[in-house]
Amino acid sequence: MSQNNNQNKVGLDAKGLQYAFLAGAKSIEAKKDYINELNVFPVPDGDTGTNMTLTITAAAKEVAAITEPTFANVTKAMSTGSLRGARGNSGVILSQLIRGLCKGLEGKEEITTDVVASAFERAVATAYKAVMKPKEGTILTVAKGLSDKATELAKANKAPLEFATGVLEYGREVLNKTPDMLPVLKEAGVVDSGGEGLMTILEGAFDALTGKVSYDFSNGYDGENAGGVKSDRPAPDASGLRLTNSLGIDRKSIDTSHIKYGYCTEFIIILEKDFPKTEEEKFKSFLLSIGDSLVVVADDTICKVHVHTNHPGQAFEKALEYGSLTSMKVDNMREEHREKVITEAEKKAAGVSTSSNTIEIAGQNVSWINVDKKDKNGSEPAKQKEYGFIAVSVGQGMNDIFKDLGVDHLIEGGQTMNPSTEDMLNAIDKVNAKTIYILPNNKNIILAANQAKELTEDKEIIVVPSKTAPQGVAALIAFDASAKAEDNLENMIGEMGNVKTGQVTYAVRDTSIDGKNINAGDIMGIDDDGIQSVSTDLVEATKELLAHMIDEDSELISIYYGAEVKEEDAKEFEQYVEETYEDCDVEFNYGGQPIYYYILSVE
């Protein structure tokens, strides 16, 4: 090794890398609300600070659990944890930056400024590759600036402290110039929020390594300690715990004797030793000795497991022989069966059909095949069907519409709850089909879906790039079971192109955008091209938005009213639409979606 390389060796061992990563995660967790406020669009969505925090937190928990850190196991936890935990576009890009950085550090025995510069370059290349149409003035621009400066200073043989200080200072310079690259940032008077998030993580890591701040992560990255992160996601619905129901059915009297194995058990093993095919087969044999409905999917870093068993603890104990566990989930199938019996009885009592396979959409009766049935033992059918569907949805009405159109599995999520790549992978595991179509129904979820596609090897995943729920509905109607997969994707995308979508919500912050001054609490009408109406009155904002969307070619107006709109107000608005646009067919549906008072669709 040359003298310059010796001089520029970074005094960072595996324990230091572990500590720096956790400190960076803690730094963005502390500033996430500030970063959220930098978002230009004033809608109540899954904001950048929240998504980046949840993404890096998923990795931080795995990194903190390592008791004997090495460069190999720390970088592996950083990479796999962030990839699976990625949420929203900003979270996916961050996970790709971390993934590329870790690839750049792979196999290194010591860290020099040259190695850091090369790892930065690998990180940027990986992240740019993940984005179909990279836009300058964003987190990608800041990351590239950091990389370019790192290369420059490494070639100049700068000492480690001068190197790190120079790179971070230049990153801030690039971030401060992002408003000059994106007019929308300049109009709002903010820098790019994703770039701010990236700089916050790196500066937090640097401050910890140089002793400016200190943390105690000895209890892991959770709970009431320095590394604790409070989740922004809502608590799980507890309705399944109720012991009575509207029909007075005694839950304990419902027969579940046909269910041989009572617990649906899922988990992921972070592999910490070799896991060849022979070892995988031994592991499968053990699991089959205590259960059935087994699915084991492994690569060189992780192993995903699904099994029905009466002894989840034995499955966990065996798995611990191969590595650490994460994403552990146990569902009581007997309780789920009781809940299903009660729900169907309640529907029957209310006069709601539990078996109809037809729904009227756009004046037509659309049929589907319910192919995700379970057999009498509560097990998934062994034979895979040809195709299946996963959709992201929120709101009981919207959920019912997607189910009626044949969606096999719904992922709860949307604007304020961008599901993670891990959520997508779990859904993919549950759909027993050779080809699975994923409908994100939100532009901030498409990248996470694509990332799940890349991480899935045993099934063909097709991401239909639906940006809104109405686009997802249109795509499902266009699906033809007799057509080839690529033809279906083309047809579904083509049908989505015929749909204009509008959404009515409220502003969460004061801002100026598209020449409009908006105050927190104002009602906004937003279509595919941006904000079209701003008012203090909900009905006026909605009328103005709809008028902007209608043209001489419009034939069908579909309206979904949200959870916060009273039924009588919705009916009054329906009457207005029918009278005003009498040349169009009008469909009115209860969507039950939060955040958005109305979702409009014009075809």
Side-chain angles (χ1 to χ4, degrees):
M1 184 178 293
S2 70
Q3 184 179 3
N4 282 335
N5 277 341
N6 277 324
Q7 290 175 343
N8 295 338
K9 181 178 177 181
V10 178
L12 185 69
D13 59 9
K15 195 169 185 64
L17 177 61
Q18 180 187 40
Y19 179 64
F21 185 77
L22 297 177
K26 181 60 183 173
S27 181
I28 192 171
E29 191 275 332
K31 288 184 65 176
K32 68 181 177 184
D33 291 337
Y34 166 72
I35 295 168
N36 284 342
E37 288 298 319
L38 295 177
N39 279 270
V40 173
F41 231 57
V43 297
D45 63 4
D47 281 332
T48 302
T50 298
N51 283 334
M52 293 182 76
T53 296
L54 291 173
T55 298
I56 199 169
T57 295
K61 290 180 178 180
E62 294 188 19
V63 170
I66 298 172
T67 55
E68 296 182 9
T70 64
F71 278 119
N73 62 22
V74 171
T75 54
K76 179 180 174 182
M78 287 167 56
S79 179
T80 58
S82 60
L83 286 173
R84 293 195 309 273
R87 296 175 190 273
N89 292 342
S90 57
V92 171
I93 293 171
L94 174 62
S95 74
Q96 291 294 332
L97 287 169
I98 294 172
R99 179 189 192 187
L101 183 78
C102 291
K103 282 288 185 184
L105 296 176
E106 201 171 79
K108 306 300 181 186
E109 295 181 1
E110 59 183 23
I111 306 298
T112 66
T113 53
D114 286 335
V115 169
V116 174
S118 177
F120 268 43
E121 188 176 342
R122 182 73 176 266
V124 171
T126 303
Y128 266 90
K129 195 181 299 183
V131 181
M132 188 170 294
K133 294 181 180 179
K135 185 183 294 185
E136 296 308 316
T138 65
I139 182 176
L140 292 171
T141 306
V142 176
K144 189 174 186 305
L146 289 163
S147 175
D148 291 345
K149 194 65 175 180
T151 300
E152 174 193 326
L153 296 179
K155 287 180 178 178
N157 293 316
K158 297 295 183 182
L161 185 59
E162 187 178 358
F163 169 85
T165 302
V167 169
L168 292 177
E169 286 178 350
Y170 186 71
R172 274 286 162 192
E173 286 182 30
V174 175
L175 177 62
N176 291 334
K177 291 177 182 176
T178 54
D180 297 326
M181 304 177 202
L182 280 178
V184 68
L185 294 176
K186 177 164 281 190
E187 185 180 5
V190 296
V191 297
D192 177 67
S193 55
E196 177 65 47
L198 178 61
M199 290 306 304
T200 297
I201 292 168
L202 294 175
E203 289 167 347
F206 179 75
D207 287 347
L209 288 175
T210 55
K212 186 175 180 180
V213 296
S214 63
Y215 300 102
D216 177 11
F217 295 110
S218 58
N219 292 323
Y221 201 91
D222 201 4
E224 299 300 321
N225 56 65
V229 174
K230 183 181 178 182
S231 172
D232 286 331
R233 299 199 72 169
D237 180 67
S239 60
L241 300 176
R242 64 179 183 266
L243 299 176
T244 59
N245 49 78
S246 59
L247 298 179
I249 298 174
D250 180 5
R251 299 175 69 90
K252 294 181 180 180
S253 68
I254 298 173
D255 182 28
T256 60
S257 60
H258 60 284
I259 299 177
K260 183 177 180 181
Y261 296 107
Y263 297 97
C264 178
T265 306
E266 299 174 353
F267 54 93
I268 293 174
I269 310 172
I270 308 299
L271 296 172
E272 294 171 356
K273 66 178 185 180
D274 290 340
F275 194 64
K277 271 291 179 187
T278 53
E279 201 63 40
E280 182 179 334
E281 290 304 319
K282 284 172 58 180
F283 181 49
K284 288 180 180 178
S285 296
F286 171 81
L287 292 176
L288 285 173
S289 73
I290 62 168
D292 64 6
S293 299
L294 178 65
V295 179
V296 174
V297 181
D299 60 20
D300 59 345
T301 60
I302 64 173
C303 177
K304 296 186 289 183
V305 179
H306 168 281
V307 64
H308 292 174
T309 179
N310 289 327
H311 304 286
Q314 292 183 18
F316 292 150
E317 285 293 328
K318 186 67 175 177
L320 285 169
E321 295 179 11
Y322 304 104
S324 57
L325 305 186
T326 185
S327 302
M328 294 175 285
K329 181 171 175 285
V330 178
D331 290 328
N332 187 326
M333 293 192 297
R334 294 184 178 93
E335 280 304 307
E336 289 179 343
H337 174 71
R338 292 185 180 106
E339 190 64 30
K340 182 179 178 181
V341 170
I342 291 170
T343 300
E344 291 184 353
E346 288 174 340
K347 284 184 177 180
K348 187 174 181 180
V352 179
S353 172
T354 60
S355 59
S356 173
N357 283 13
T358 305
I359 183 174
E360 185 177 295
I361 295 181
Q364 303 178 29
N365 287 326
V366 180
S367 300
W368 71 96
I369 302 173
N370 188 349
V371 290
D372 199 28
K373 300 281 188 181
K374 291 189 176 183
D375 66 23
K376 64 180 181 179
N377 293 320
S379 302
E380 297 292 339
K383 185 178 179 180
Q384 281 187 318
K385 56 185 179 181
E386 289 301 316
Y387 59 85
F389 299 95
I390 296 169
V392 179
S393 176
V394 65
Q396 188 57 53
M398 281 294 186
N399 291 347
D400 289 343
I401 289 171
F402 280 117
K403 287 178 183 176
D404 289 344
L405 284 170
V407 170
D408 299 275
H409 187 86
L410 291 172
I411 300 175
E412 190 80 6
Q415 279 298 84
T416 56
M417 293 188 301
N418 294 158
S420 66
T421 299
E422 177 79 0
D423 293 330
M424 299 282 182
L425 292 172
N426 289 337
I428 289 169
D429 283 344
K430 292 176 181 177
V431 178
N432 190 24
K434 297 176 183 177
T435 300
I436 300 174
Y437 293 81
I438 300 180
L439 297 102
N441 298 332
N442 186 296
K443 66 180 181 180
N444 206 33
I445 300 174
I446 295 174
L447 281 182
N450 283 327
Q451 190 149 282
K453 173 183 176 180
E454 294 301 317
L455 294 173
T456 302
E457 297 179 355
D458 59 328
K459 299 172 183 176
E460 181 182 4
I461 305 301
I462 298 176
V463 177
V464 183
S466 53
K467 297 179 179 179
T468 64
Q471 284 188 357
V473 169
L476 286 166
I477 293 173
F479 180 81
D480 180 0
S482 64
K484 295 180 179 179
E486 57 270 24
D487 293 336
N488 259 318
L489 178 61
E490 183 178 344
N491 292 337
M492 293 165 89
I493 292 176
E495 192 61 36
M496 281 164 28
N498 297 326
V499 177
K500 300 177 187 176
T501 303
Q503 302 174 101
V504 183
T505 187
Y506 58 91
V508 295
R509 62 180 70 91
D510 296 343
T511 190
S512 176
I513 188 170
D514 296 338
K516 298 179 175 65
N517 292 320
I518 301 171
N519 297 314
D522 283 349
I523 306 299
M524 302 177 297
I526 308 166
D527 69 2
D528 301 324
D529 298 321
I531 299 174
Q532 303 301 341
S533 64
V534 179
S535 175
T536 56
D537 183 79
L538 170 60
V539 175
E540 289 305 313
T542 309
K543 288 179 178 178
E544 187 178 343
L545 172 63
L546 184 57
H548 181 84
M549 296 172 63
I550 296 289
D551 59 29
E552 64 274 10
D553 298 323
S554 301
E555 297 178 354
L556 171 66
I557 302 171
S558 300
I559 300 177
Y560 308 85
Y561 66 94
E564 297 181 40
V565 177
K566 295 178 180 178
E567 185 177 0
E568 55 266 31
D569 293 337
K571 288 186 178 297
E572 186 176 330
F573 185 66
E574 177 183 14
Q575 184 178 351
Y576 161 81
V577 174
E578 290 176 339
E579 292 174 353
T580 305
Y581 303 102
E582 54 186 15
D583 292 336
C584 294
D585 293 326
V586 178
E587 290 187 354
F588 227 80
N589 304 281
Y590 171 66
Q593 68 276 2
I595 308 300
Y596 290 97
Y597 302 108
Y598 289 102
I599 295 177
L600 314 177
S601 172
V602 176
E603 300 176 52

